Structures are given as C-alpha cells and as structure tokens.
C-alpha cells in the first residue's frame, strides 16, 4: 500500500523555533519610528508587547528554545500531518508528486493557534491579565481566544462590524472559548467613537479595529496587544511547520523541487518555507513560490518601501512591499489575504530573489479548492486555495513536460466556516476582481517618504 | 512531559472488522418480514443493498477482512487519535483519568465516513452507479457524499426540508463533494408528491425522507439505498474505532473502568464499545454507559419490541428498544440522537445487561461541551456532548470518592456546523425538553403486535 500520511511522533516535534535572521545573506532594514525615522528600540514596543516577545522580534540567535509548557500544549494538535496527495495526482493525471502539510487539524482550524498560544504564554509569564486584538473574518481572533483560555487570560476582540454581523459563526466560536467580542467601530474607544461620530453606519475596517485594540491596550495597565502575522516573532512561532515538514519529507525519502504557500501577512507560508532557506542560500535547487490574490497583489504589484503596518498610521514603519496603507482591497473571500503590506522577512527574501511570487484570481482558486476537496476530502479555506491553485498549475505543467517534480504545498486551514463562498462558486456567482490599480495608485501617494540610506 | 496524544502508525491500523455476533452469550432475534412475520432473507434485501453488505449483515464470522483499497482510503484520516484530557481533568479537579477517542478529524468531521466509504466501495464493486440516502441535519449525507465521490458514484440525498433551509452549510458541503441534494418532501417521488398533495408546506421528516430515498432506489435499476446507522453491517464498519482504542489504551499502559458514548442509531458508540465486549462477557470489570437525550430516551424509557425502522413502515421489523416508529422527538440540536429506535445489537447488549444507559438534558450537555472546549480546545458536536456530560459526571463522582478511575469517552465529531446551538446555550436561550411521555404513549400504540416465540 502507498504511504498516505507521513506522521511524526511527539518525540520528533521541534523543541526550538528557527530564526532566519542570522542566515540572511544581506541584513534586513530595521523598523523605524514614524516621528524620528530612527530604528525603534525595545522600549518603544514595551507598552504593547512583553519583553520576551520583543527580544524574539530582534533576536540574532538561529534557534530559540520552545518552553516545555508550550510544547506540552502543542502536542494537542502537533506534529501536524504531511499528506501525499495520491488521489489528487491521479485526478490531475500528473507525474508530479504532491505533498501537503495540513494545519487545519488544530482546534482553531488553522496555523494561527501556533503563535496564539505562544503569545498568550509569554504575556501571562510577565503578569499580563488581559489581551486585545483585532480580527476580520475571525480566524485570528478565534485562535487567540483559545490561546488566552489555555492561560487564563482575558481577551477582548475588536471584530470588523460587517463580519461581526455577516459571519456569526467565528464570533460564536470566540465566545465559546470565553473571549469578549465587540463590533468595531465600537463605543468602547476614542478611535471607535470618532469614527461613529462621523458615520454612525460605518461598516468597520481592519485598520479601525487595529486602532481600537491598540488604544485599549495602551490605556489599560494590565493589558497588552497581540498581532497574528507580519512581525518577526509571529513568523518565528510558525517555523514548527517547516521544521516538521523537512523531517517528514526526509522520512518520505523525498525533497521538494517546489514549495508553495499563500501569503496575506506572510506568517503561514513563512512557517513552512523559512526552515528551507538555508538550503536555498547554499545553492540548493528549490523554487519557493508565494501565491497571492490578484485583488491584493502586494509582492507582484506593490512597491518596496517603508510604510505603516496599519491603516490609521499608529505602528512603526516597516520596510515592505506595500499597496499603500490606506488601500482597501476588494471583498474577496480569502479575508486573510486582504492586507496592504507583507511581513518584512518575506519581503526581504523576495527582494533578494530567494523566493518568487505569483497572483491568482478568485474563481481559479475555488476551482482548485473544489477539485482538491473531491480528491483529498479536506475542504480548504479560501486562503490556502490560492496555494493549491499554483501547486496544481505546476503539477499540470509536469503533465505537459513529463517531469516528475516534487511539490510541497502549505494547507494552512479548513474551510468549514467559508461554505457560503463555496456556494457562490458552485452556483457561478463568484466575482473575480481585477487588480484595482487606480485605488492602489492613489493609496501609494500616501506612503510616507523615507530617505533611503 | 505528559503524554497527550496516543498515536498509532498506519501499520498498526486494524485490517479486519470485528463482528460481535458470534461472541453474544445469547443469540439475537432476527429481523422479520412485516407481512409474513418470518425472518427476512438476503433476497428480501437485494433490491436495496449489495450482496456483500447483506452477507456482512448476517455474518457469524468473528472477523471480516477490510479490503486493501479501503484501508488505503482510511489512511487519510485513520488511525484516529486517542487523547488524554489532562487539562479537563485539572479543570474538574478530579483524580480520574479521562481519555477521549476523537473521530472529528476525518474530512467529513465525524465517524460516519468510516461506513460511508465502505458502503460506496461495495456498491461500486457490484456495478451500482448511483446511491440514494436520507439525511436530517446533513452529517450522514455529507459523509456519504464524500464516500461516493471517492468511488465515482452518483449520489442523491433527500434532506429534511426544514434542515435544508435552516442549515445550508452541510448542504453546501454535500454539493462541494458532488452530491445532488433535494429538499424532502420533493416532487421527485410518489411518496414526496403524496405528502405535498396533502400539505404543500410540509416541513419534512426523516421518515418521509427515508421513504423517498428507498422508493428512488427501488424504482431505478442501477441504484441502491444506503443507511448511516442501526444495521449490523454499519456497526461492523465502525469497529475500527474500538480496535484502535484498545491498542491505544494498551500503549498508554491503561484499561478503562468506564466507557461512555452517545447513542442515536447506535453506530458511533457501537464502534467504540463492541471490541471490548469479549472482555466484558468473560467477566472483566468494565462499565459501558450509553448516553442518550432525555428528549428521546429509547433505551431508558422505550419498550423492547419488534418495530419498524422508519416512520412510514417500509422496513423489516427490528427487535429493539423503541419509542414507537411514529414518535417525533422534540427539536433538540443533537439531530443524530433523534431516532425512535436503536441498533438491534445495542438493544440486545442492553437487554443482556452487558451495557448500561442514562439520559441527560440538553443544557447539561452544552455546559459539558463548553467546559470541554475551553479545556481541550475541540468544540464537540451536540451528540457527543451527551457522552462528555456523563463522562464528566463520573469524573466528578471520583472527586468525591477519591477513586482514580480510568474513563474512556467517544468523541464522535466536531461541532463546527452547530455553533448556532452554542450561541443559544451561551445566551441562556436553550430549552430543555422533558421526556414527552404522552406522545410516546400514543406512538407505542402503533407498534406492531408480534407474538413472542
């Protein structure tokens, strides 16, 4: 019988996170204080994050130990399985071998829980009693709700109002795990009240929700703020994925010619690809492809500039490929990919040509997702459906060329809360959104001018 | 670090199903033809089922080999994990050890897929091109949709109309996996048209949906009918669960003092408990407790009589604990437990006092489910929440008595499509339904009179 699942035992789980920074051939540009345009120091971040996470953010150590207490919790859903997609290969009639690393088996249904529990842990350790965060469709908010529940932390989630009302299931999930959820803009913060004063019917945005969560954390003594992607320490926590995948590929007696993942803020795919970077740097012939939406193509169409991480302009300036921090992407179902910027680590690797990027349209991603679901059973979330589209395209190229390439794809979560989107696709009512270049052109004019050194 | 997950490798997966029939101390009463009151033979069932499944239904062999092709497919989600519920034990402050066997990791989200793929396989093998089935909330229909997709079979699902409209997600899931779904009563069958002629607004019932699915299969040459619980061969297919659990408990160096599962038609808990029956028969001190809803207490309040399996009276007569085949249980959220009867195998074991039963109220089950979700992460389906309630009550008794009992509980599926019910519970709006004895008394008058031999 063919090997279907490449499992690891609990004993083979990574005990350290892998930090790519010291392995970068060229050093990264530091985050800057928007007032002084000087690199931000640990003290600038201290009101929002615990010092242990700030130290991880700036660490130059190649490995950082995972505390035993966290390893114990990871064991509830890790090591995650690596599957060989035999049935999909057959359906595509391709000589390519397709493997997928599946993070949807975590209780929260995605990779987000890996960093959520770590962030809750370190905040608890420093005596913090309460966290705040923002969430769009609720993927990140629900993961952090469970993370906080595990450590007895209170959590307040500012959920974009339109999602709060249209997608109640993830809100209920957060409440089931004990979090308080409020529709943003809310009456609970100055930022929210300001927005509502101008427009009582404002549907909310991730930008406003971030402003509310940050203000809440900054104005409460025992409260910190938590972010689900973009920052170095968040990507670091996800490297358990790629470390496991490397070992699993080795057990399968294989090594990827191509690694594919989807990118929104960048944390899921970074988790998979970063542990392969040392090989790539040392000349190994592996292509690493980022899949992003045509509706929000940060890497393929954005500018590599210093820009704000949020819409309102509260965060430090990050050097990244950006569509402009005021850009609001079209309403694709892959809510997790609707971000104007990108994790600086991903951007730096892209700028250094260590990784590639390609953009795909919404209908093509759902076509891939349905085809995957019918072959492999798992119904993918709309975000990793982008990665599946690119992986399947590469496999179809192998059918043409006859090449037996090995493709490793990151399947970051399940689509159980996205079936409305599947219905739209199946009934032929799913729109594609062209690259909104006029909006992006406009947004790019608001990117701050930072003199290059 | 403590052991959290007791994993098995693919090599340790069961290669045979376990058939309890030859190990029964007293033989079971056979199904009867409702016209002749004589035992039904294989030929009576041939219009609806393939001969291989009929042979399994009546088999006296202790073990039946699982075809390699099926084992290969099982490997996509099996062996399923056995978890030690450390965090729950701590939350309950109990000296008891709680283990749970989790079937929610299958792509269909429950144990149902174990028999769905097996039934699709055998039908395909006998040249059947198309299956029909009924579904309530959609748990079984979605599992069979995926099973049929794996073997290229067409599937038509008659879905109870009120669920079709109120719970669209599982319908979309079935469609994503390629099944045709129609609201029942439908215009597609005589049974459906009759019901609609009398009442155009009829909301449908499982009874009517069964009638439609059976009629469809009986009147199409290339079509068979498929059932998701109750019958011997369905329970047989689920015994992979208990075989794995036995081995996993052994690996954990433990043996259960108490085994708990929820029962609706009986297949999920039968899958877990049947492989422990030989121990029980030979005098081993293990309590096996069935958890059923107060709103539909077949074992604890029903009569042990021959009755129809469906509401309309089309099926053979089965000897079972029944509330009367015309009884319509209150609308509890655990749709899978709303069945008037019970698998004859479960009933026989209960009658022989090899297993026990207890009934619990809806709010108590959701209280247990939320407590479980906050400790262990996984959000349980409303059905296994009944088992968790009973398991947690046993663990709380251990807190009183100081006993260190080992409790094994079956967690048959996740509650991702049941969050509306969680919201009702969290907001204090979930009703409890008392045992509707007047309705049951009435229904019991319709149970056929079959002379005891």
């Amino acid at each position: 019988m063919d090997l279907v699942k490449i499992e690891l035992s609990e004993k083979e789980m990574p005990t350290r996170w892998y930090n790519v920074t010291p392995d970068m051939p060229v050093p990264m540009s530091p985050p800057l204080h928007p007032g002084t345009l000087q690199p931000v120091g640990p003290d600038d971040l201290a009101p929002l994050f615990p010092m242990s996470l700030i130290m991880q953010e700036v660490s130059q150590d190649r490995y950082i130990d995972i505390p035993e207490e966290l390893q114990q919790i990871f064991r509830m859903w890790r090591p995650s399985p690596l599957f060989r997609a035999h049935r999909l290969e057959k359906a595509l009639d391709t000589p390519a071998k397709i493997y997928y690393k599946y993070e949807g088996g975590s209780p929260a249904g995605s990779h987000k829980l890996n960093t959520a529990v770590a962030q809750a842990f370190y905040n608890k350790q420093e005596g913090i009693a309460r966290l705040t965060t923002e969430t769009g469709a609720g993927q990140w908010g629900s993961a952090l709700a469970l993370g906080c529940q595990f450590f007895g932390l209170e959590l307040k989630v500012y959920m974009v109002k339109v999602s709060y009302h249209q997608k109640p299931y993830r809100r209920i999930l957060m409440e089931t795990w004990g979090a308080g959820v409020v529709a943003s803009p809310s009456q609970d913060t100055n930022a929210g009240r300001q927005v509502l004063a101008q427009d009582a019917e404002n549907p909310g945005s991730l930008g406003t929700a971030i402003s509310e969560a940050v203000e809440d954390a900054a104005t409460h003594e025992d409260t910190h703020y938590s972010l689900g992607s973009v920052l170095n320490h968040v990507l670091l926590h996800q490297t358990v994925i790629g470390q496991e995948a490397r070992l699993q590929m080795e057990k399968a007696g294989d090594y990827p010619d191509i690694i594919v993942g989807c990118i929104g803020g960048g944390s899921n795919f970074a988790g998979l690809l970063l542990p392969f970077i040392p090989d790539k740097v040392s000349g190994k012939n592996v292509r690493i492809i980022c899949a992003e939406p045509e509706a929000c193509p940060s890497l393929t169409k954005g500018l590599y500039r210093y820009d704000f991480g949020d819409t309102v302009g509260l965060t430090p300036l990050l050097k990244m490929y950006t569509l402009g921090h005021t850009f609001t992407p079209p309403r694709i179902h892959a809510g997790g990919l609707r971000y104007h910027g990108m994790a600086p680590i991903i951007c730096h690797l892209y700028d250094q040509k260590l990784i590639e990027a390609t953009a795909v349209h919404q209908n093509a991603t759902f076509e891939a997702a349905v085809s995957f679901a019918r072959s492999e059973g798992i119904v993918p979330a709309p975000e990793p459906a982008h990665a599946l589209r690119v992986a399947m395209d590469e496999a179809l190229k192998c059918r043409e060329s006859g090449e037996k390439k090995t493709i490793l794809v990151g399947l970051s979560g399940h689509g159980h809360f996205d079936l409305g989107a599947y219905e739209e696709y199946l009934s032929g009512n799913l729109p594609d959104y062209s690259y909104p270049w006029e909006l992006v052109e406009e947004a790019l004019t608001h990117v701050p001018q930072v003199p290059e050194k």
Side-chain angles (χ1 to χ4, degrees), chain A:
Chain A
M1 253 178 286
D2 300 323
L3 201 64
V4 174
K5 224 172 10 201
I6 300 102
E7 300 261 25
L8 298 179
S9 74
E10 292 188 356
K11 292 192 193 82
E12 293 168 302
M13 270 181 59
T15 57
R16 305 180 299 180
W17 289 302
Y18 166 67
N19 178 17
V20 73
T21 321
D23 289 330
M24 292 284 197
V26 171
M28 289 175 60
S29 306
L32 302 182
H33 190 288
T36 63
L37 298 188
Q38 293 303 306
V40 294
D43 290 348
D44 296 318
L45 301 170
L48 295 183
F49 302 106
M51 200 44 72
S52 41
L53 289 180
I54 295 172
M55 289 296 112
Q56 291 179 4
E57 186 69 20
V58 299
S59 172
Q60 289 292 323
D61 298 334
R62 186 168 282 111
Y63 292 103
I64 294 172
D65 287 340
I66 305 174
E68 281 222 354
E69 196 176 340
L70 270 181
Q71 290 185 45
Q72 177 80 9
I73 289 182
F74 284 155
R75 288 170 171 216
M76 296 170 81
W77 67 94
R78 307 208 70 83
S80 73
L82 179 78
F83 288 96
R84 171 81 186 274
H86 291 291
R87 301 180 61 88
L88 179 64
E89 293 167 16
K90 207 172 158 192
L92 296 173
D93 190 23
T94 176
K97 288 184 278 184
I98 305 174
Y99 294 86
Y100 58 99
K101 177 73 170 165
Y102 184 47
E103 292 294 312
S106 91
S110 82
H111 67 291
K112 292 283 186 193
L113 195 57
N114 298 324
T115 185
V117 292
Q119 293 190 45
F121 170 81
Y122 287 112
N123 275 289
K124 177 73 176 185
Q125 235 189 4
E126 292 195 16
I128 290 296
R130 181 172 173 272
L131 291 182
T132 65
T133 198
E134 72 287 336
T135 202
Q139 191 73 258
W140 165 241
S142 55
L144 191 60
L146 184 53
C148 285
Q149 181 61 234
F150 282 161
F151 291 100
L153 290 173
E154 207 184 316
L155 173 67
K156 178 150 179 187
V157 181
Y158 292 86
M159 183 173 190
V160 177
K161 191 187 274 176
V162 61
S163 297
Y164 182 94
H165 291 299
Q166 281 178 2
K167 303 193 170 183
Y169 265 32
R170 282 216 173 259
R171 169 181 59 75
I172 303 168
L173 196 54
M174 291 184 253
E175 290 167 349
T176 299
W177 283 326
V181 188
V182 68
S184 167
S186 76
Q187 293 289 353
D188 300 359
T189 65
N190 285 328
R193 285 187 293 267
Q194 270 176 30
V195 174
L196 289 172
Q198 286 167 17
D199 172 13
E201 301 302 312
N202 187 294
S205 71
L206 214 48
T208 305
I210 294 179
S211 305
E212 290 205 86
V214 168
E215 179 190 322
D216 183 329
T219 53
H220 288 87
E221 187 65 35
D222 60 347
T223 300
H224 270 164
Y225 168 71
S226 174
L227 192 67
S229 189
V230 180
L231 299 180
N232 297 352
H233 70 272
V234 182
L235 274 56
L236 176 82
H237 298 157
Q238 298 295 356
T239 58
V240 288
I241 302 173
Q243 292 183 71
E244 288 176 9
R246 274 186 69 99
L247 187 53
Q248 285 163 316
M249 291 300 293
E250 208 177 296
K251 286 203 168 194
D254 225 329
Y255 190 92
D257 298 301
I258 299 172
I259 307 176
V260 189
C262 65
I263 50 165
S267 74
N268 134 63
F269 193 30
L272 180 60
L273 77 86
L274 291 180
F276 289 91
I277 287 297
D279 292 353
K280 179 75 181 175
V281 168
S282 63
K284 185 104 183 173
N285 189 16
V286 48
R287 288 179 61 201
I288 301 173
I289 311 176
C290 302
E292 59 182 15
E294 279 282 3
C296 189
S298 320
L299 285 192
T300 52
K301 299 279 171 50
L303 294 182
Y304 196 33
R305 294 268 295 274
Y306 269 105
D307 198 4
F308 291 104
D310 67 325
T311 304
V312 204
L314 291 177
T315 70
L317 293 168
L318 303 172
K319 182 77 179 282
M320 57 184 179
Y321 284 85
T322 179
L323 300 167
H325 65 279
T326 57
F327 168 65
T328 302
R331 295 191 159 278
I332 53 169
H333 285 285
L337 308 186
R338 293 176 71 247
Y339 184 60
H340 69 275
M342 185 54 58
I345 285 178
I346 293 279
C347 295
H348 186 71
L349 293 170
Y350 184 65
D351 182 58
Q352 295 292 312
K353 302 200 187 331
L354 290 166
I355 63 177
E356 311 167 33
T358 186
V360 283
H361 269 302
Q362 181 158 256
N363 271 288
T365 65
F366 274 91
E367 186 199 19
V370 168
S371 165
F372 184 85
R374 290 183 180 179
S375 297
E376 297 292 320
I378 295 167
V379 176
E383 291 84 358
H386 288 69
L388 291 173
R389 174 73 276 161
V390 173
M392 286 162 70
D393 286 345
E394 292 293 331
L396 291 170
K397 284 182 207 161
C398 288
R399 181 170 73 186
E400 297 309 310
S401 67
E403 289 173 287
K404 294 186 183 175
K405 286 188 180 164
T406 296
I407 301 169
L408 168 62
V409 54
L411 184 50
S412 54
H414 64 63
H416 297 173
F417 302 109
D418 304 286
L419 287 171
Y422 276 85
E423 179 164 46
E424 271 186 50
Y425 169 74
L426 290 170
S427 60
N429 294 317
L430 191 69
D432 275 336
Y433 295 96
S434 296
Y435 169 56
W437 65 269
E438 285 175 347
L439 297 177
V440 172
E441 294 284 305
E442 204 278 328
L444 288 174
T445 64
H446 300 290
V447 174
Q449 300 296 325
V450 176
E452 287 288 326
K453 281 187 204 160

